Amino acid sequence: MHKRLLVLYFTVGFIATCFSDTARSQELDCTVIVSYEGVSTTHKDLLIDFESDVRDYLNNYKWGNDDPDEKVNCTVEIFIQNVVGENRYSAQAFIGSQRTIYNNGGSKGLLRLKDDGWEFTYVKGRSILHNEYSFNDLASFLDFYAYLVVGYDYDTYDNLFGTTYFQKAANIASLGRSSGGRGWQQSKSGYSRVQLIDEILNAKFAPVRTASFKYHFMALDSLGFSRSRALKHAYDALQMIGEVRRGADPRNQIIRAFFDVKYQELADLFIGYDPKVYVELAEIDPTHQSTYEEYRKKRK
């Protein structure tokens, strides 16, 4: 991924940021877990190589043209629910990714999505082939989320820097929509792949992506140097998201995706900061209001 090695130092009251030569990688280090509890023993035998095939596909393909550096950590959990035809299955998938926090150690969640609308064909012994110009209900689904994971990671290292990969995901979504495949259409309620990628590339929601860059790069990566400055950057990032939230459809997904993975982290991060931040968090992210209220009460 776009891992610019950070060296931050203080000079005349502000943080100067120096970078080494840019090093990039679009390779994944993806943990794949598959549950077969929803199918019979016969079909479990037909799916015996499915987990390793998906893992190899995601981890062995180079998702960009740059030289490898650090790999993007991600997790794909697949629950096979039903057999819907010959060699054809319906499944629920959970997709998550993590991002290393520099100068502070550890990593933080970056993406956590639940996709209930996946149907695919898998034939034991047949390789999963990558072709971005032709829709395949198995490979295209994996491609879509691989590019989404890479794009989200890239966006945290430079403003809107994941656009190339989000556009690749959007192209796959367009092929899926044309195919009429399950899960590739707009949804009136609940999660929608198409809606999420449309919002990511919509200029109206660009400040949310900018806020993600500001939050990760200027706040979390800087905590080890100046906590007060880092928290100010984090607070400013929330203000940017809040401004978009006030003019957005409550069913928006890009803001929801941010807070679904970040709400507990944010509640912990702002301990010791101005308690009004918890009131503002509850307004921006009412889904997790109870958590913010719990932390706000702790300050009394």
Short mmCIF file of all heavy atoms in Angstrom, two decimals, residues 14-71:
data_model
loop_
_atom_site.label_atom_id
_atom_site.label_comp_id
_atom_site.label_asym_id
_atom_site.label_seq_id
_atom_site.Cartn_x
_atom_site.Cartn_y
_atom_site.Cartn_z
N PHE A 14 4.98 24.18 14.93
CA PHE A 14 4.12 23.37 14.08
C PHE A 14 4.83 22.07 13.75
O PHE A 14 6.01 21.90 14.01
CB PHE A 14 3.74 24.10 12.77
CG PHE A 14 4.90 24.41 11.89
CD1 PHE A 14 5.34 23.50 10.95
CD2 PHE A 14 5.55 25.63 12.00
CE1 PHE A 14 6.41 23.80 10.13
CE2 PHE A 14 6.61 25.93 11.18
CZ PHE A 14 7.05 25.02 10.24
N ILE A 15 4.07 21.14 13.21
CA ILE A 15 4.64 19.83 12.86
C ILE A 15 5.07 19.87 11.41
O ILE A 15 4.27 20.14 10.53
CB ILE A 15 3.62 18.70 13.06
CG1 ILE A 15 3.20 18.63 14.53
CG2 ILE A 15 4.21 17.35 12.64
CD1 ILE A 15 2.14 17.59 14.79
N ALA A 16 6.33 19.61 11.16
CA ALA A 16 6.81 19.47 9.79
C ALA A 16 6.84 17.98 9.48
O ALA A 16 7.17 17.17 10.33
CB ALA A 16 8.20 20.06 9.65
N THR A 17 6.53 17.62 8.27
CA THR A 17 6.46 16.22 7.90
C THR A 17 7.41 15.94 6.76
O THR A 17 7.32 16.58 5.72
CB THR A 17 5.02 15.85 7.46
OG1 THR A 17 4.12 16.31 8.45
CG2 THR A 17 4.88 14.35 7.29
N CYS A 18 8.30 14.99 6.98
CA CYS A 18 9.25 14.61 5.95
C CYS A 18 8.98 13.18 5.54
O CYS A 18 8.59 12.35 6.35
CB CYS A 18 10.69 14.72 6.47
SG CYS A 18 11.13 16.38 6.97
N PHE A 19 9.22 12.87 4.29
CA PHE A 19 8.93 11.54 3.80
C PHE A 19 10.15 10.96 3.10
O PHE A 19 10.93 11.67 2.49
CB PHE A 19 7.78 11.56 2.79
CG PHE A 19 6.54 12.22 3.33
CD1 PHE A 19 6.21 13.51 2.98
CD2 PHE A 19 5.71 11.53 4.19
CE1 PHE A 19 5.07 14.10 3.49
CE2 PHE A 19 4.57 12.12 4.70
CZ PHE A 19 4.26 13.42 4.35
N SER A 20 10.25 9.68 3.22
CA SER A 20 11.23 8.98 2.40
C SER A 20 10.65 8.85 1.00
O SER A 20 9.54 9.30 0.72
CB SER A 20 11.48 7.59 2.96
OG SER A 20 10.34 6.78 2.78
N ASP A 21 11.41 8.22 0.11
CA ASP A 21 10.85 7.95 -1.21
C ASP A 21 9.57 7.14 -1.05
O ASP A 21 9.45 6.28 -0.20
CB ASP A 21 11.84 7.14 -2.06
CG ASP A 21 13.07 7.97 -2.39
OD1 ASP A 21 12.96 9.20 -2.35
OD2 ASP A 21 14.14 7.37 -2.66
N THR A 22 8.61 7.43 -1.89
CA THR A 22 7.34 6.74 -1.83
C THR A 22 7.51 5.27 -2.18
O THR A 22 8.14 4.91 -3.16
CB THR A 22 6.34 7.38 -2.81
OG1 THR A 22 6.12 8.71 -2.40
CG2 THR A 22 5.02 6.64 -2.80
N ALA A 23 6.95 4.42 -1.33
CA ALA A 23 6.96 2.98 -1.61
C ALA A 23 5.52 2.50 -1.55
O ALA A 23 4.79 2.85 -0.65
CB ALA A 23 7.80 2.24 -0.58
N ARG A 24 5.12 1.72 -2.53
CA ARG A 24 3.73 1.31 -2.59
C ARG A 24 3.63 -0.20 -2.80
O ARG A 24 4.51 -0.82 -3.38
CB ARG A 24 3.00 1.99 -3.76
CG ARG A 24 3.05 3.50 -3.75
CD ARG A 24 2.18 4.03 -4.88
NE ARG A 24 2.24 5.46 -4.98
CZ ARG A 24 2.99 6.12 -5.86
NH1 ARG A 24 3.73 5.44 -6.69
NH2 ARG A 24 3.00 7.43 -5.91
N SER A 25 2.54 -0.73 -2.35
CA SER A 25 2.21 -2.12 -2.66
C SER A 25 0.70 -2.25 -2.67
O SER A 25 0.03 -1.65 -1.85
CB SER A 25 2.79 -3.07 -1.62
OG SER A 25 2.26 -4.35 -1.78
N GLN A 26 0.20 -3.00 -3.61
CA GLN A 26 -1.22 -3.30 -3.60
C GLN A 26 -1.44 -4.79 -3.36
O GLN A 26 -2.39 -5.39 -3.83
CB GLN A 26 -1.91 -2.85 -4.89
CG GLN A 26 -2.01 -1.36 -5.03
CD GLN A 26 -0.71 -0.76 -5.49
OE1 GLN A 26 -0.11 -1.24 -6.42
NE2 GLN A 26 -0.28 0.29 -4.83
N GLU A 27 -0.54 -5.42 -2.64
CA GLU A 27 -0.71 -6.82 -2.32
C GLU A 27 -1.43 -6.95 -0.98
O GLU A 27 -1.29 -6.10 -0.10
CB GLU A 27 0.65 -7.52 -2.27
CG GLU A 27 1.32 -7.56 -3.64
CD GLU A 27 2.64 -8.29 -3.61
OE1 GLU A 27 2.94 -8.92 -2.58
OE2 GLU A 27 3.37 -8.24 -4.61
N LEU A 28 -2.20 -8.02 -0.86
CA LEU A 28 -2.99 -8.24 0.34
C LEU A 28 -2.39 -9.35 1.19
O LEU A 28 -1.82 -10.31 0.68
CB LEU A 28 -4.42 -8.61 -0.03
CG LEU A 28 -5.21 -7.62 -0.89
CD1 LEU A 28 -6.60 -8.19 -1.17
CD2 LEU A 28 -5.32 -6.26 -0.22
N ASP A 29 -2.53 -9.19 2.48
CA ASP A 29 -2.29 -10.27 3.43
C ASP A 29 -3.65 -10.55 4.05
O ASP A 29 -4.02 -9.96 5.06
CB ASP A 29 -1.27 -9.85 4.48
CG ASP A 29 -0.95 -10.97 5.45
OD1 ASP A 29 -1.47 -12.08 5.26
OD2 ASP A 29 -0.19 -10.72 6.41
N CYS A 30 -4.40 -11.43 3.40
CA CYS A 30 -5.81 -11.60 3.73
C CYS A 30 -6.05 -12.96 4.40
O CYS A 30 -5.69 -14.01 3.87
CB CYS A 30 -6.66 -11.50 2.47
SG CYS A 30 -8.43 -11.37 2.80
N THR A 31 -6.66 -12.90 5.56
CA THR A 31 -7.10 -14.10 6.25
C THR A 31 -8.50 -14.46 5.74
O THR A 31 -9.40 -13.61 5.78
CB THR A 31 -7.15 -13.88 7.77
OG1 THR A 31 -5.84 -13.56 8.24
CG2 THR A 31 -7.66 -15.11 8.49
N VAL A 32 -8.65 -15.66 5.25
CA VAL A 32 -9.94 -16.10 4.71
C VAL A 32 -10.46 -17.25 5.57
O VAL A 32 -9.76 -18.24 5.79
CB VAL A 32 -9.81 -16.56 3.24
CG1 VAL A 32 -11.15 -17.08 2.72
CG2 VAL A 32 -9.30 -15.40 2.37
N ILE A 33 -11.68 -17.10 6.04
CA ILE A 33 -12.32 -18.12 6.86
C ILE A 33 -13.68 -18.44 6.25
O ILE A 33 -14.48 -17.53 5.99
CB ILE A 33 -12.51 -17.63 8.31
CG1 ILE A 33 -11.16 -17.27 8.93
CG2 ILE A 33 -13.22 -18.69 9.16
CD1 ILE A 33 -11.27 -16.55 10.26
N VAL A 34 -13.94 -19.71 6.02
CA VAL A 34 -15.21 -20.11 5.40
C VAL A 34 -15.92 -21.09 6.33
O VAL A 34 -15.33 -22.03 6.84
CB VAL A 34 -14.98 -20.77 4.03
CG1 VAL A 34 -16.32 -21.19 3.41
CG2 VAL A 34 -14.25 -19.81 3.09
N SER A 35 -17.21 -20.83 6.55
CA SER A 35 -18.06 -21.73 7.32
C SER A 35 -19.01 -22.43 6.36
O SER A 35 -19.67 -21.79 5.54
CB SER A 35 -18.86 -20.95 8.36
OG SER A 35 -19.84 -21.79 8.96
N TYR A 36 -19.09 -23.76 6.48
CA TYR A 36 -19.92 -24.57 5.58
C TYR A 36 -21.14 -25.14 6.28
O TYR A 36 -21.76 -26.09 5.77
CB TYR A 36 -19.09 -25.72 4.99
CG TYR A 36 -17.80 -25.28 4.35
CD1 TYR A 36 -16.59 -25.33 5.06
CD2 TYR A 36 -17.77 -24.82 3.04
CE1 TYR A 36 -15.40 -24.94 4.46
CE2 TYR A 36 -16.59 -24.42 2.44
CZ TYR A 36 -15.40 -24.48 3.17
OH TYR A 36 -14.23 -24.08 2.57
N GLU A 37 -21.48 -24.62 7.43
CA GLU A 37 -22.53 -25.23 8.24
C GLU A 37 -23.90 -25.24 7.56
O GLU A 37 -24.76 -26.03 7.91
CB GLU A 37 -22.62 -24.51 9.59
CG GLU A 37 -21.38 -24.70 10.46
CD GLU A 37 -21.48 -24.00 11.79
OE1 GLU A 37 -22.57 -23.44 12.06
OE2 GLU A 37 -20.50 -24.00 12.54
N GLY A 38 -24.09 -24.36 6.58
CA GLY A 38 -25.40 -24.28 5.94
C GLY A 38 -25.61 -25.27 4.82
O GLY A 38 -26.67 -25.26 4.18
N VAL A 39 -24.62 -26.15 4.55
CA VAL A 39 -24.77 -27.07 3.43
C VAL A 39 -24.55 -28.51 3.89
O VAL A 39 -23.99 -28.76 4.96
CB VAL A 39 -23.78 -26.73 2.29
CG1 VAL A 39 -24.05 -25.35 1.74
CG2 VAL A 39 -22.33 -26.84 2.77
N SER A 40 -24.99 -29.44 3.07
CA SER A 40 -24.89 -30.87 3.41
C SER A 40 -23.45 -31.36 3.28
O SER A 40 -22.59 -30.69 2.70
CB SER A 40 -25.79 -31.68 2.48
OG SER A 40 -25.28 -31.62 1.15
N THR A 41 -23.20 -32.55 3.80
CA THR A 41 -21.87 -33.15 3.72
C THR A 41 -21.42 -33.30 2.28
O THR A 41 -20.25 -33.07 1.95
CB THR A 41 -21.88 -34.53 4.41
OG1 THR A 41 -22.26 -34.36 5.78
CG2 THR A 41 -20.50 -35.17 4.35
N THR A 42 -22.34 -33.67 1.40
CA THR A 42 -21.99 -33.84 -0.02
C THR A 42 -21.45 -32.55 -0.60
O THR A 42 -20.42 -32.54 -1.30
CB THR A 42 -23.22 -34.29 -0.83
OG1 THR A 42 -23.67 -35.54 -0.32
CG2 THR A 42 -22.88 -34.42 -2.31
N HIS A 43 -22.12 -31.45 -0.31
CA HIS A 43 -21.67 -30.16 -0.86
C HIS A 43 -20.44 -29.64 -0.14
O HIS A 43 -19.64 -28.90 -0.73
CB HIS A 43 -22.82 -29.15 -0.80
CG HIS A 43 -23.89 -29.42 -1.81
ND1 HIS A 43 -25.04 -30.10 -1.50
CD2 HIS A 43 -23.97 -29.13 -3.13
CE1 HIS A 43 -25.79 -30.20 -2.59
NE2 HIS A 43 -25.16 -29.63 -3.59
N LYS A 44 -20.28 -30.02 1.12
CA LYS A 44 -19.03 -29.65 1.81
C LYS A 44 -17.84 -30.27 1.10
O LYS A 44 -16.78 -29.64 0.98
CB LYS A 44 -19.08 -30.12 3.26
CG LYS A 44 -19.99 -29.30 4.16
CD LYS A 44 -20.00 -29.85 5.58
CE LYS A 44 -20.98 -29.08 6.46
NZ LYS A 44 -21.05 -29.63 7.83
N ASP A 45 -18.01 -31.48 0.62
CA ASP A 45 -16.93 -32.13 -0.12
C ASP A 45 -16.61 -31.39 -1.41
O ASP A 45 -15.45 -31.27 -1.81
CB ASP A 45 -17.31 -33.59 -0.45
CG ASP A 45 -17.36 -34.48 0.79
OD1 ASP A 45 -16.75 -34.09 1.81
OD2 ASP A 45 -18.03 -35.53 0.74
N LEU A 46 -17.65 -30.85 -2.06
CA LEU A 46 -17.44 -30.08 -3.29
C LEU A 46 -16.76 -28.74 -3.01
O LEU A 46 -16.15 -28.16 -3.90
CB LEU A 46 -18.78 -29.85 -4.00
CG LEU A 46 -19.49 -31.10 -4.53
CD1 LEU A 46 -20.87 -30.73 -5.08
CD2 LEU A 46 -18.64 -31.76 -5.62
N LEU A 47 -16.88 -28.28 -1.77
CA LEU A 47 -16.31 -26.97 -1.39
C LEU A 47 -15.02 -27.10 -0.59
O LEU A 47 -14.53 -26.12 -0.04
CB LEU A 47 -17.34 -26.20 -0.55
CG LEU A 47 -18.58 -25.68 -1.28
CD1 LEU A 47 -19.68 -25.32 -0.29
CD2 LEU A 47 -18.23 -24.47 -2.14
N ILE A 48 -14.46 -28.29 -0.56
CA ILE A 48 -13.32 -28.56 0.31
C ILE A 48 -12.12 -27.64 0.02
O ILE A 48 -11.36 -27.28 0.92
CB ILE A 48 -12.91 -30.05 0.24
CG1 ILE A 48 -11.92 -30.37 1.36
CG2 ILE A 48 -12.34 -30.39 -1.14
CD1 ILE A 48 -11.67 -31.86 1.52
N ASP A 49 -11.94 -27.24 -1.23
CA ASP A 49 -10.81 -26.38 -1.61
C ASP A 49 -11.20 -24.91 -1.72
O ASP A 49 -10.35 -24.08 -2.07
CB ASP A 49 -10.22 -26.84 -2.95
CG ASP A 49 -9.65 -28.24 -2.87
OD1 ASP A 49 -9.11 -28.60 -1.81
OD2 ASP A 49 -9.75 -28.98 -3.88
N PHE A 50 -12.45 -24.60 -1.45
CA PHE A 50 -12.93 -23.23 -1.69
C PHE A 50 -12.16 -22.20 -0.85
O PHE A 50 -11.73 -21.17 -1.36
CB PHE A 50 -14.43 -23.15 -1.38
CG PHE A 50 -15.03 -21.79 -1.55
CD1 PHE A 50 -15.13 -21.22 -2.80
CD2 PHE A 50 -15.50 -21.07 -0.45
CE1 PHE A 50 -15.68 -19.95 -2.97
CE2 PHE A 50 -16.04 -19.81 -0.60
CZ PHE A 50 -16.14 -19.25 -1.87
N GLU A 51 -11.99 -22.48 0.43
CA GLU A 51 -11.30 -21.52 1.30
C GLU A 51 -9.89 -21.24 0.81
O GLU A 51 -9.48 -20.07 0.70
CB GLU A 51 -11.27 -22.04 2.73
CG GLU A 51 -10.59 -21.11 3.72
CD GLU A 51 -10.64 -21.65 5.15
OE1 GLU A 51 -11.71 -21.51 5.79
OE2 GLU A 51 -9.63 -22.21 5.59
N SER A 52 -9.13 -22.27 0.51
CA SER A 52 -7.75 -22.07 0.05
C SER A 52 -7.70 -21.42 -1.32
O SER A 52 -6.81 -20.60 -1.60
CB SER A 52 -6.99 -23.40 0.03
OG SER A 52 -7.61 -24.34 -0.81
N ASP A 53 -8.67 -21.72 -2.19
CA ASP A 53 -8.71 -21.09 -3.51
C ASP A 53 -8.95 -19.59 -3.39
O ASP A 53 -8.31 -18.79 -4.10
CB ASP A 53 -9.80 -21.73 -4.37
CG ASP A 53 -9.42 -23.11 -4.89
OD1 ASP A 53 -8.24 -23.49 -4.76
OD2 ASP A 53 -10.32 -23.81 -5.41
N VAL A 54 -9.87 -19.21 -2.53
CA VAL A 54 -10.15 -17.78 -2.33
C VAL A 54 -8.94 -17.08 -1.71
O VAL A 54 -8.55 -15.99 -2.12
CB VAL A 54 -11.41 -17.58 -1.45
CG1 VAL A 54 -11.57 -16.11 -1.07
CG2 VAL A 54 -12.65 -18.08 -2.18
N ARG A 55 -8.35 -17.73 -0.71
CA ARG A 55 -7.17 -17.14 -0.05
C ARG A 55 -6.03 -16.93 -1.05
O ARG A 55 -5.40 -15.87 -1.10
CB ARG A 55 -6.71 -18.04 1.09
CG ARG A 55 -5.52 -17.48 1.87
CD ARG A 55 -5.00 -18.47 2.89
NE ARG A 55 -6.04 -18.89 3.81
CZ ARG A 55 -6.55 -20.11 3.88
NH1 ARG A 55 -6.11 -21.05 3.05
NH2 ARG A 55 -7.48 -20.40 4.75
N ASP A 56 -5.77 -17.96 -1.85
CA ASP A 56 -4.68 -17.86 -2.83
C ASP A 56 -4.97 -16.78 -3.86
O ASP A 56 -4.07 -16.04 -4.28
CB ASP A 56 -4.46 -19.21 -3.52
CG ASP A 56 -3.88 -20.26 -2.60
OD1 ASP A 56 -3.37 -19.89 -1.53
OD2 ASP A 56 -3.94 -21.45 -2.96
N TYR A 57 -6.20 -16.70 -4.28
CA TYR A 57 -6.57 -15.69 -5.28
C TYR A 57 -6.34 -14.27 -4.75
O TYR A 57 -5.73 -13.43 -5.43
CB TYR A 57 -8.04 -15.87 -5.67
CG TYR A 57 -8.52 -14.87 -6.70
CD1 TYR A 57 -8.19 -15.02 -8.04
CD2 TYR A 57 -9.29 -13.77 -6.33
CE1 TYR A 57 -8.62 -14.11 -9.00
CE2 TYR A 57 -9.73 -12.86 -7.27
CZ TYR A 57 -9.39 -13.03 -8.61
OH TYR A 57 -9.80 -12.11 -9.54
N LEU A 58 -6.80 -14.01 -3.55
CA LEU A 58 -6.66 -12.67 -2.99
C LEU A 58 -5.22 -12.32 -2.66
O LEU A 58 -4.78 -11.18 -2.87
CB LEU A 58 -7.52 -12.55 -1.73
CG LEU A 58 -9.04 -12.54 -1.95
CD1 LEU A 58 -9.76 -12.61 -0.61
CD2 LEU A 58 -9.47 -11.30 -2.72
N ASN A 59 -4.46 -13.28 -2.15
CA ASN A 59 -3.11 -12.98 -1.68
C ASN A 59 -2.03 -13.10 -2.75
O ASN A 59 -0.95 -12.51 -2.60
CB ASN A 59 -2.74 -13.91 -0.51
CG ASN A 59 -3.51 -13.57 0.75
OD1 ASN A 59 -3.93 -12.43 0.95
ND2 ASN A 59 -3.72 -14.56 1.61
N ASN A 60 -2.30 -13.81 -3.82
CA ASN A 60 -1.27 -14.01 -4.84
C ASN A 60 -1.40 -13.06 -6.01
O ASN A 60 -0.46 -12.94 -6.82
CB ASN A 60 -1.30 -15.46 -5.35
CG ASN A 60 -0.88 -16.45 -4.28
OD1 ASN A 60 -0.21 -16.08 -3.32
ND2 ASN A 60 -1.29 -17.70 -4.44
N TYR A 61 -2.53 -12.39 -6.12
CA TYR A 61 -2.69 -11.42 -7.22
C TYR A 61 -2.13 -10.08 -6.79
O TYR A 61 -2.32 -9.64 -5.65
CB TYR A 61 -4.16 -11.27 -7.62
CG TYR A 61 -4.33 -10.40 -8.84
CD1 TYR A 61 -4.06 -10.88 -10.11
CD2 TYR A 61 -4.73 -9.08 -8.72
CE1 TYR A 61 -4.18 -10.08 -11.23
CE2 TYR A 61 -4.87 -8.26 -9.83
CZ TYR A 61 -4.59 -8.77 -11.08
OH TYR A 61 -4.71 -7.97 -12.18
N LYS A 62 -1.43 -9.42 -7.68
CA LYS A 62 -0.90 -8.09 -7.41
C LYS A 62 -1.92 -7.07 -7.89
O LYS A 62 -2.16 -6.92 -9.09
CB LYS A 62 0.44 -7.89 -8.14
CG LYS A 62 1.20 -6.65 -7.72
CD LYS A 62 2.56 -6.63 -8.38
CE LYS A 62 3.34 -5.39 -7.95
NZ LYS A 62 4.66 -5.33 -8.63
N TRP A 63 -2.52 -6.36 -6.95
CA TRP A 63 -3.66 -5.51 -7.24
C TRP A 63 -3.28 -4.14 -7.78
O TRP A 63 -4.11 -3.24 -7.86
CB TRP A 63 -4.55 -5.38 -6.00
CG TRP A 63 -5.07 -6.71 -5.58
CD1 TRP A 63 -4.56 -7.53 -4.63
CD2 TRP A 63 -6.18 -7.41 -6.16
NE1 TRP A 63 -5.28 -8.70 -4.56
CE2 TRP A 63 -6.28 -8.66 -5.49
CE3 TRP A 63 -7.09 -7.11 -7.16
CZ2 TRP A 63 -7.25 -9.60 -5.80
CZ3 TRP A 63 -8.07 -8.04 -7.47
CH2 TRP A 63 -8.15 -9.27 -6.79
N GLY A 64 -2.01 -3.95 -8.16
CA GLY A 64 -1.56 -2.71 -8.78
C GLY A 64 -0.23 -2.95 -9.45
O GLY A 64 0.28 -4.07 -9.50
N ASN A 65 0.37 -1.88 -9.96
CA ASN A 65 1.60 -2.01 -10.75
C ASN A 65 2.85 -1.54 -10.01
O ASN A 65 3.92 -1.50 -10.59
CB ASN A 65 1.47 -1.21 -12.05
CG ASN A 65 0.34 -1.72 -12.92
OD1 ASN A 65 0.18 -2.92 -13.07
ND2 ASN A 65 -0.45 -0.82 -13.49
N ASP A 66 2.72 -1.19 -8.75
CA ASP A 66 3.85 -0.65 -8.02
C ASP A 66 4.65 -1.76 -7.35
O ASP A 66 4.21 -2.89 -7.23
CB ASP A 66 3.36 0.35 -6.96
CG ASP A 66 2.63 1.50 -7.60
OD1 ASP A 66 3.13 2.03 -8.60
OD2 ASP A 66 1.55 1.86 -7.10
N ASP A 67 5.84 -1.40 -6.91
CA ASP A 67 6.70 -2.36 -6.23
C ASP A 67 6.12 -2.69 -4.86
O ASP A 67 5.61 -1.82 -4.16
CB ASP A 67 8.11 -1.79 -6.06
CG ASP A 67 8.81 -1.63 -7.39
OD1 ASP A 67 8.49 -2.40 -8.31
OD2 ASP A 67 9.66 -0.72 -7.50
N PRO A 68 6.24 -3.95 -4.42
CA PRO A 68 5.67 -4.33 -3.13
C PRO A 68 6.43 -3.72 -1.96
O PRO A 68 7.63 -3.59 -1.98
CB PRO A 68 5.79 -5.85 -3.14
CG PRO A 68 6.93 -6.14 -4.06
CD PRO A 68 6.85 -5.07 -5.12
N ASP A 69 5.70 -3.34 -0.96
CA ASP A 69 6.28 -2.87 0.30
C ASP A 69 5.52 -3.59 1.40
O ASP A 69 5.59 -4.79 1.49
CB ASP A 69 6.17 -1.35 0.38
CG ASP A 69 6.82 -0.78 1.62
OD1 ASP A 69 7.87 -1.30 2.01
OD2 ASP A 69 6.28 0.18 2.20
N GLU A 70 4.77 -2.89 2.19
CA GLU A 70 3.94 -3.54 3.20
C GLU A 70 2.62 -3.99 2.57
O GLU A 70 2.04 -3.29 1.77
CB GLU A 70 3.67 -2.58 4.35
CG GLU A 70 4.90 -2.20 5.14
CD GLU A 70 4.53 -1.30 6.29
OE1 GLU A 70 3.70 -1.71 7.11
OE2 GLU A 70 5.07 -0.19 6.37
N LYS A 71 2.16 -5.14 3.00
CA LYS A 71 0.89 -5.64 2.49
C LYS A 71 -0.27 -5.09 3.31
O LYS A 71 -0.11 -4.73 4.47
CB LYS A 71 0.87 -7.17 2.52
CG LYS A 71 1.90 -7.80 1.59
CD LYS A 71 1.80 -9.31 1.59
CE LYS A 71 2.82 -9.91 0.62
NZ LYS A 71 2.71 -11.39 0.55
#
